[in-house]
Amino acid sequence: MTTSWTVIRVLRDRNAGLYLVGLVVSAFGTSSLWLASGVWVKDLTGSDGLAALCMLAMWVPTLAGPALGGLADRLPRLPLLIGLDLGLAALLLTLFTVGSAGRLWLLYTVLFLYGTAGVIHDAAESALVATAVVPDLLGDFNGLRMSVTEGMKLVAPLTGAGLYAVYGGPAVACLDALTFVLAAGLCALLRVREERPTRPADGRRRTTAGVRYLWGHPGLRPLVRAGGTTMLLSGLTGPTVYAVADRLGHSPAYIGLLYACQGAGSVTVGLVSGPALRRFGGRRFAAAGIALTGVAMAARAVPSDAVALVTGVAAGLGLPCVLIAAFTAVQRETPGALLGRVSATAHTLIFTPTVCGLALGAGLVELAGPGLLLPLYGLALLLTAAGLAQRADSASRTADRSSSDAKPA
């Protein structure tokens, strides 16, 4: 009943409903291309390393998040989003010319520009949503956004792979281009009144303003720091999934089942995150999710199929909590003029550690097995959760004392 009410609350709001439908469409196209691009390169070259560069090309632009996010604060956000969607649709059509390994430079270039536009798009979207959606619905909206994104990861890659197998890579690019055109049309239907962007004279201070605001805010800093730590540890656990499958006597294809379980958990928590945020507050909600993820990671060290599948669902339930809490807090606590830069900075600080963790974890798993590493990673997550929960309790006590002091004797 709570889940149904959450969905109804969002869909009854015209702007929130339109935007959510647009996210479904664009997430479907992006997830389809995400898988097909690597398969495309693998088919043309036979190289696993070159195929892996597809994801790197899309991810690298996030490192420039604070600078790229500034565009979302200097330009009207709704026209910017529509322009980015239509520009990406046109850009993707150039992939029809990629028919041999000698043209792969174009595919990598398109993927890099795709990732760059994605950083700007996410920053502008976060800022626009904070204006277009009533504040009380932000937690519900962000939770449903997580459900949509994770749900598309379960469905769209299979569609993309099937389309690629029958018609080739250009067909998948055409599908993604079509989803961007549809998303642009849905954006154009939004009813939003935006303030005219202002341009500070000092360019350097303008670029770093998001970092300074985020790190100086006592409510946002702990959430973003906990989010980055959680994603670092999540990255460290990533390479162990292959060792877990091997220890259970399964082929690498078994990993797909584990990720499907995790995706199902993420879809579920997204549906209930709005009510949970209102009931427990951002920090407690995030801390509970991190703790659940820690327990799941530690328990995955047990060599059992049932445990592996259950911990996959548990990790899916827990991991998104800190992300939803952090980005909702950013939207609520940041002035509109800074929201693009602060959102992009938060994305960079939270998600960049994931790749660092993947690289480090790949080396560590060669030195020690999952039976040792996973409990250690789980313990680190539990300590992160305890620290965030302690800060939440401290902030609550401070607020209570301030309220008591304000009352007349």
Side-chain angles (χ1 to χ4, degrees):
M1 185 174 181
T2 300
T3 298
S4 301
W5 178 238
T6 297
V7 176
I8 292 171
R9 275 170 57 88
V10 173
L11 293 182
R12 284 177 61 184
D13 183 276
R14 184 179 185 277
N15 283 338
L18 280 171
Y19 217 104
L20 191 63
V21 174
L23 284 173
V24 171
V25 172
S26 59
F28 183 85
T30 298
S31 296
S32 297
L33 184 69
W34 165 71
L35 177 65
S37 60
V39 177
W40 196 354
V41 173
K42 174 71 173 178
D43 279 349
L44 290 175
T45 66
S47 170
D48 292 330
L50 290 176
L53 285 180
C54 292
M55 283 301 297
L56 181 63
M58 295 178 72
W59 175 85
V60 162
T62 61
L63 296 174
L68 292 173
L71 291 173
D73 290 332
R74 297 198 296 272
L75 298 171
R77 287 151 183 164
L78 185 57
L80 176 61
L81 286 173
I82 295 172
L84 286 171
D85 284 339
L86 295 177
L88 284 172
L91 182 67
L92 284 163
L93 296 181
T94 65
L95 295 182
F96 274 85
T97 65
V98 177
S100 65
R103 299 283 292 178
L104 283 181
W105 65 268
L106 177 59
L107 175 60
Y108 290 128
T109 301
V110 168
L111 292 176
F112 176 79
L113 294 174
Y114 194 109
T116 301
V119 174
I120 302 170
H121 196 286
D122 285 346
E125 176 188 281
S126 181
L128 186 67
V129 164
T131 303
V133 178
V134 295
D136 190 48
L137 278 180
L138 285 175
D140 300 271
F141 179 87
N142 288 327
L144 288 178
R145 177 182 178 174
M146 178 67 68
S147 294
V148 165
T149 303
E150 294 302 317
M152 288 303 103
K153 288 179 182 177
L154 296 176
V155 178
L158 296 176
T159 304
L163 190 61
Y164 176 86
V166 177
Y167 298 107
V172 183
C174 186
L175 170 66
D176 198 12
L178 178 61
T179 64
F180 276 119
V181 173
L182 293 174
L186 289 166
C187 273
L189 296 175
L190 293 173
R191 297 173 182 170
V192 183
R193 180 175 295 178
E194 296 187 75
E195 296 181 3
R196 188 178 182 86
T198 57
R199 296 191 177 189
D202 191 334
R204 179 177 296 180
R205 288 185 62 82
R206 180 176 63 212
T207 300
T208 61
V211 179
R212 288 185 281 108
Y213 179 86
L214 184 62
W215 216 243
H217 195 290
L220 299 180
R221 185 176 63 248
L223 275 171
V224 171
R225 187 162 54 196
T229 303
T230 301
M231 296 309 293
L232 171 65
L233 291 163
S234 173
L236 284 169
T237 65
T240 65
V241 71
Y242 298 96
V244 168
D246 185 59
R247 188 169 61 160
L248 293 173
H250 297 293
S251 70
Y254 180 77
I255 296 168
L257 180 58
L258 295 180
Y259 280 133
C261 290
Q262 184 168 329
S266 297
V267 170
T268 302
V269 77
L271 295 173
V272 300
S273 61
L277 279 170
R278 286 188 288 273
R279 181 176 179 83
F280 302 110
R283 291 190 193 180
R284 290 191 179 91
F285 176 62
I290 297 170
L292 179 59
T293 306
V295 171
M297 289 300 103
R300 187 173 283 181
V302 177
S304 163
D305 280 305
V307 171
L309 297 176
V310 170
T311 56
V313 175
L317 287 169
L319 190 60
C321 295
V322 67
L323 307 179
I324 295 169
F327 292 124
T328 300
V330 165
Q331 290 172 324
R332 287 175 172 167
E333 301 293 333
T334 305
L338 284 174
L339 194 45
R341 281 163 288 180
V342 174
S343 296
T345 300
H347 273 82
T348 298
L349 292 176
I350 289 175
F351 290 116
T352 299
T354 307
V355 178
C356 300
L358 285 169
L360 180 59
L364 290 174
V365 79
E366 295 293 332
L367 301 176
L372 174 63
L373 293 175
L374 286 171
L376 292 177
Y377 298 153
L379 176 61
L381 284 165
L382 289 172
L383 292 175
T384 302
L388 187 60
Q390 186 176 18
R391 285 179 174 273
D393 291 339
S394 176
S396 179
R397 288 194 294 270
T398 301
D400 289 343
R401 284 198 299 269
S402 299
S403 177
S404 298
D405 292 341
K407 293 179 181 178

